[in-house]
């Protein structure tokens, strides 16, 4: 995590507007621009459809600076929550276009916020005669389109749409006051990095729903969004050993396994058309993620079949107490630390770590009420439970 943005000497060129008062905007602009440059070059080699324009550092700096100050304002007692997409209106699908382009200012964003605060609506911004202008709104944007979203006052997330455009956007950076987190793309190369982490960073297949880690991305995002906290355990299909780590009787045992999500996934493999399945997938994901709000753990297998929810985790009879875990976070500047599990969180985190320590072919997803999200997995190389903090990837 970068806590002092001034330490990054990045040449952003001529800024738009001429001055930037939010220093973090200047510090991250070059790194964010490099991210989009790399991905545009990589994707263009095999992707035939039109991609969104590449934002340069001065554009990124200006949009972040203006939006940050807008996020601190209030309109009729409410803080603005807006999402800004950098693209011309002709690059959007079915755009709502204003008769007069509006200058991108904190005041304009604050006034427009009530109209675009619902999820999925973006304010379209483009440079006209050297000045950033708001041209209207859009719901559909091209792949790799630069998006800046206000999460809460003073907290912004830089993200982009996945190439195939189906599912959660890929996060690039999180800015909260003078604290900056840049997603570290090299984290995917670390030994025993779970496929789910790669998928959150956008490094799995380009089709979002083609394998189970990508589907887990949607479950993780939905778990985090309900705000009640919860645990999702993912165990191998056909194995019952996981029951050794669950206190019996299970309050909500599901027999036979509930297969709505599994059936949808199977049908999608046969007909991979995102438009056909998107709404059905979204509804099924939210229904299953909602079960994690019940006290106890929700358990599914790696084919998305629901096995139980409200289950209490206990140490397996033949298991040993988990004594240490390795905490990591896929952001630039993070250093992995080995700590005792009680230093990582409360009961949820401790029980999830114990479950993975006993059931080493399983993973555990833990959402806290405060928005923190951790993925527990067993590292075969390090012989330790890894706790991957992925808040920056899920906002």
């Amino acid at each position: 995590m970068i806590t002092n943005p001034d330490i990054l000497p990045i040449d952003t060129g001529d800024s738009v507007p001429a001055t930037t008062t939010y220093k973090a905007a200047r510090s991250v602009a070059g790194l964010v621009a490099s991210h989009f440059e790399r991905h545009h070059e990589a994707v263009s080699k095999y992707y035939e459809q039109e991609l969104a324009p590449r934002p340069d550092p001065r554009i990124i700096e200006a949009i972040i600076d203006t939006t940050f100050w807008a996020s601190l304002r209030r309109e009729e007692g409410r803080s603005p929550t807006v999402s800004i997409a950098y693209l011309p209106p002709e690059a959007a699908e079915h755009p709502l276009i204003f008769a007069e382009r509006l200058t991108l200012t904190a005041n304009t964003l604050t006034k427009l916020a009530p109209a675009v605060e619902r999820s999925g609506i973006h304010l379209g911004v483009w440079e006209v005669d050297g000045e950033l202008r708001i041209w209207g709104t859009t719901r559909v944007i091209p792949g790799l389109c630069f998006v800046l979203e206000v999460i809460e006052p003073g907290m912004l997330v830089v993200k982009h749409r996945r190439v195939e455009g189906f599912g959660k956007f890929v996060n690039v950076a999180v800015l909260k006051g003078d604290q900056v987190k840049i997603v570290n793309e090299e984290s995917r190369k670390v030994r025993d990095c779970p496929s789910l982490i790669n998928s959150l960073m956008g490094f799995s297949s380009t089709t979002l729903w083609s394998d189970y880690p990508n589907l887990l991305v949607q479950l993780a995002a939905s778990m985090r969004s309900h705000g009640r906290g919860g645990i999702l355990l993912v165990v191998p299909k056909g194995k019952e050993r996981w029951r050794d780590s669950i206190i019996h009787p299970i309050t909500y045992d599901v027999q036979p396994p509930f297969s709505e999500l599994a059936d949808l996934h199977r049908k999608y493999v046969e007909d991979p058309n995102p438009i056909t399945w998107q709404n059905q997938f979204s509804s099924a994901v939210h229904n299953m993620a909602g079960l994690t709000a019940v006290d106890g753990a929700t358990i599914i297998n790696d084919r998305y079949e629901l096995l139980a929810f409200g289950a209490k985790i206990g140490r397996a009879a033949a298991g040993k107490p988990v004594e240490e875990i390795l905490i990591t976070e896929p952001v630039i500047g993070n250093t992995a630390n080995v700590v005792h599990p009680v230093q990582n969180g409360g009961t949820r985190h401790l029980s999830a770590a114990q479950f993975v320590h006993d059931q080493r072919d399983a993973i555990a997803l833990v959402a806290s009420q405060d928005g923190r999200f951790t993925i527990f997995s067993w590292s075969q190389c390090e012989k330790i439970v890894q706790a991957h903090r992925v808040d920056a990837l899920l906002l």
Side-chain angles (χ1 to χ4, degrees), residues 291-345:
L291 299 176
T292 65
V294 175
D295 186 37
T298 297
I299 306 169
I300 66 174
N301 62 32
D302 54 14
R303 294 298 180 269
Y304 329 123
E305 294 173 324
L306 176 66
L307 307 177
F309 66 99
K312 302 298 187 290
I313 298 173
R315 177 158 55 92
K320 297 180 179 180
V322 56
E323 298 288 349
E324 57 183 22
I325 60 176
L326 180 66
I327 300 179
T328 66
E329 187 174 15
V331 298
I332 293 175
N334 173 261
T335 302
N337 292 311
V338 176
V339 302
H340 192 278
V342 297
Q343 295 179 254
N344 184 52

Side-chain angles (χ1 to χ4, degrees), residues 4-41:
N4 183 0
D6 294 333
I7 65 174
L8 295 177
I10 298 171
D11 181 9
T12 59
D14 296 330
S15 60
V16 181
T19 58
T20 300
T21 52
Y22 178 40
K23 294 181 179 179
R26 178 165 297 180
S27 74
V28 303
L31 292 174
V32 171
S34 296
H35 171 94
F36 281 91
E37 186 74 22
R38 287 194 305 274
H39 285 266
H40 271 80
E41 291 180 0

Side-chain angles (χ1 to χ4, degrees), residues 224 368-373 391 395:
R224 188 181 184 280
S368 300
Q369 292 179 340
D370 62 2
R372 187 168 50 144
F373 203 96
D391 317 1
L395 290 168

Side-chain angles (χ1 to χ4, degrees), residues 137-150:
T137 70
T138 181
R139 288 182 174 273
V140 184
I141 57 179
L144 290 179
C145 182
F146 171 90
V147 172
L148 182 67
E149 183 176 346
V150 177

Side-chain angles (χ1 to χ4, degrees), residues 241 320 355-363 377-380 383-385:
R241 185 173 171 273
K320 297 180 179 180
F355 184 87
V356 171
H357 186 261
D358 293 341
Q359 308 293 332
R360 297 180 179 181
D361 52 3
I363 64 172
S377 64
W378 176 258
S379 171
Q380 190 61 38
K383 305 300 181 184
I384 192 173
V385 174

